[in-house]
Amino acid sequence: MRVYISADIEGVSGVVHGEHTARDGREHNYARMLMTEEVNACILGALEAGAEKVVVNDSHGTMRNIYHDKLHTKAELILGGPKKLAMMEGISADFDAVLFVGYHTRMGTDGILNHTFNGRVVRTIEVNGVELGEFGLNALVAGHFDVPVVFVSGCNLVAIEAEECIPDVHQAIVKQTINRTTALNVHPVRARELIKEGTKKALLHRDEIKPFTMEAPYTVEMEFLHTGLADAVEIVPFVKRTGPLTISFVTDDVLECYQLIRSLIMIASSVS
């Protein structure tokens, strides 16, 4: 069994503020340690379930957060950026299951530290009329390779968001959102136990979970936080302006869809 782990930081127990998530945040290194240990718990659960290969993709911000020397020795780590497939770099049809650790809700929800890729740029992203956050968009990439996302850890609200895409997804709820920068967190040791147990159970039942897919073509509509951001991405030839804050495009390929979304966000962020 080959297992792929995409690891973010906002959904980690004890992470509640920009001081934890920003590269220059005074508490960032502490949050990196918490993130690394939650990933280790996921790796342990995968190994106990029979995984022979575990690949971890550091998927937050600079994508240089996990302490490599503290990571379980049986896992391989994709570290650094930019990456062509960003939070899903390295995924392929060779994997049997995908697990998301430390994930958060999409922008505009009530979830802790909610955003979609870049909280200073994007308000909503819809694919074929369905609003998706990072969980849904990344699961769609996994689905392209016919690999199911079987597990997610994070707050109580990302668990609900994940079920909207994959009803049978297994979860480890390590904190309860109170507001955008406040949460009721379980102890880090207990969080790791929940993740380890949840991962093992998810992988043992992986055949019961279907990959997340949508029918082509993929019509994407993106709403930005102000008109200047939409102005910037409208310059791209395939983009159609559909409103003061919105643009759309259509593609027949899931990976192209994902890469175009990421590219337009990078363009918009250059003028944000």
Side-chain angles (χ1 to χ4, degrees):
M1 178 168 58
R2 293 167 55 94
V3 172
Y4 179 95
I5 301 171
S6 174
D8 209 347
I9 203 168
E10 286 87 357
V12 169
S13 182
V15 173
V16 299
H17 193 272
E19 288 284 355
H20 293 126
T21 63
R23 191 68 181 177
D24 57 355
R26 287 174 292 180
E27 300 176 64
H28 183 55
N29 285 338
Y30 174 64
R32 292 174 62 199
M33 181 275 293
L34 293 175
M35 176 188 184
T36 302
E37 291 306 321
E38 287 200 2
V39 172
N40 277 335
C42 187
I43 295 167
L44 284 171
L47 293 173
E48 288 190 7
E52 297 179 352
K53 183 178 182 65
V54 180
V55 174
V56 178
N57 182 25
D58 188 322
S59 299
H60 172 70
T62 61
M63 302 186 179
R64 291 181 284 111
N65 306 282
I66 292 171
Y67 287 105
H68 195 189
D69 63 329
K70 304 296 183 184
L71 195 67
H72 195 290
T73 57
K74 291 191 176 180
E76 296 175 284
L77 177 63
I78 301 174
L79 196 65
K83 299 168 180 170
K84 191 172 181 180
L85 287 182
M87 299 179 77
M88 296 302 291
E89 183 67 29
I91 187 64
S92 73
D94 294 330
F95 288 95
D96 298 290
V98 169
L99 306 108
F100 291 162
V101 175
Y103 266 54
H104 55 83
T105 59
R106 63 182 180 264
M107 182 72 168
T109 65
D110 291 325
I112 186 84
L113 295 169
N114 64 84
H115 66 279
T116 304
F117 293 134
N118 189 324
R120 298 182 304 275
V121 172
V122 177
R123 179 171 289 164
T124 60
I125 299 174
E126 291 186 2
V127 180
N128 292 352
V130 179
E131 187 175 348
L132 297 175
E134 292 175 21
F135 179 94
L137 291 166
N138 292 336
L140 196 60
V141 173
H144 170 77
F145 293 102
D146 199 34
V147 184
V149 176
V150 300
F151 173 85
V152 62
S153 70
C155 77
N156 57 310
L157 298 181
V158 79
I160 295 171
E161 184 173 312
E163 287 178 343
E164 294 173 357
C165 298
I166 305 172
D168 298 323
V169 68
H170 293 257
Q171 307 153 352
I173 298 174
V174 300
K175 55 188 173 184
Q176 301 281 329
T177 288
I178 295 174
N179 60 43
R180 193 173 190 278
T181 52
T182 310
L184 177 64
N185 301 270
V186 305
H187 191 279
V189 173
R190 180 56 182 152
R192 295 161 199 165
E193 291 172 349
L194 291 170
I195 290 168
K196 178 184 173 183
E197 294 164 4
T199 295
K200 184 176 180 179
K201 184 177 180 181
L203 290 175
L204 291 175
H205 295 274
R206 66 188 183 279
D207 292 337
E208 301 170 11
I209 302 173
K210 296 179 180 179
F212 178 55
T213 60
M214 289 182 167
E215 291 288 334
Y218 306 99
T219 300
V220 177
E221 183 160 296
M222 301 175 66
E223 181 181 7
F224 294 91
L225 294 181
H226 62 75
T227 57
L229 303 174
D231 292 341
V233 301
E234 186 186 13
I235 295 170
V236 179
F238 61 81
V239 167
K240 179 181 178 182
R241 188 73 170 261
T242 55
L245 299 172
T246 56
I247 63 92
S248 69
F249 66 85
V250 181
T251 176
D252 290 321
D253 183 82
V254 168
L255 299 187
E256 183 177 78
C257 173
Y258 185 82
Q259 290 172 289
L260 290 174
I261 288 170
R262 295 284 306 185
S263 298
L264 294 178
I265 289 172
M266 290 177 70
I267 291 170
S269 65
S270 69
V271 298
S272 63

